[in-house]
Amino acid sequence: MAQYLVAIHHTNNYDPSVEGEAMHRDIDALNEEMIAAGVRTFVGGLHSVSKAKALRAQPDGKVLITDGPYIEAKEHIGGFWVLEAADLDEALAWGRKAAVACRAPVEVRAFQSRIRKDGRSRAAD
């Protein structure tokens, strides 16, 4: 089984107050389905991108902290799931359900896995 990120994208000016009861019920039902299928490893919603902090290493070894997101973009990740799926097709099937439940664009990406000398995946640690 591989791990996949299923990320929900929101516009910079996304207003969570537009999320109605039906959307919350659909997301709750999706979470319950993921748990029942044994695929959900982690789930989390993020605060507005306006509350983000960006950290950048400087040549002198210090770290500069600034307000706002690291990247200037029109959309940012608003929440995500980490899933254990057999393959990309299964992860995409969950991503389709997430796009419908969240009424937002979704990105599905596999995590890189590195194999240790003892044959275990580093992701399993």
Side-chain angles (χ1 to χ4, degrees):
M1 298 282 266
Q3 288 190 323
Y4 292 87
L5 174 74
V6 177
I8 308 303
H9 291 266
H10 289 155
T11 59
N12 288 346
N13 60 354
Y14 183 76
D15 179 6
S17 70
V18 301
E19 298 174 0
E21 272 304 308
M23 181 173 152
H24 285 263
R25 277 193 307 274
D26 291 348
I27 294 170
D28 288 345
L30 178 57
N31 276 309
E32 290 171 12
E33 185 180 355
M34 287 175 171
I35 291 168
V39 299
R40 195 179 93 174
T41 300
F42 182 84
V43 63
L46 300 172
H47 282 280
S48 166
V49 71
S50 66
K51 297 181 190 237
K53 300 289 183 189
L55 290 79
R56 292 178 180 85
Q58 303 298 298
D60 63 3
K62 293 182 181 178
V63 176
L64 176 67
I65 301 173
T66 58
D67 289 337
Y70 172 72
I71 300 173
E72 290 197 28
K74 294 179 182 177
E75 293 182 343
H76 290 85
I77 295 174
F80 62 94
W81 286 270
V82 176
L83 304 180
E84 295 258 348
D87 54 30
L88 179 59
D89 289 337
E90 181 183 356
L92 288 171
W94 288 110
R96 284 183 195 94
K97 292 179 180 190
V100 171
C102 295
R103 295 148 177 83
V106 170
E107 177 181 356
V108 175
R109 295 175 68 180
F111 280 89
Q112 295 180 5
S113 68
R114 298 183 204 152
I115 305 301
R116 302 182 332 180
K117 288 181 183 179
D118 65 5
R120 292 182 51 205
S121 168
R122 290 186 189 266
D125 291 342

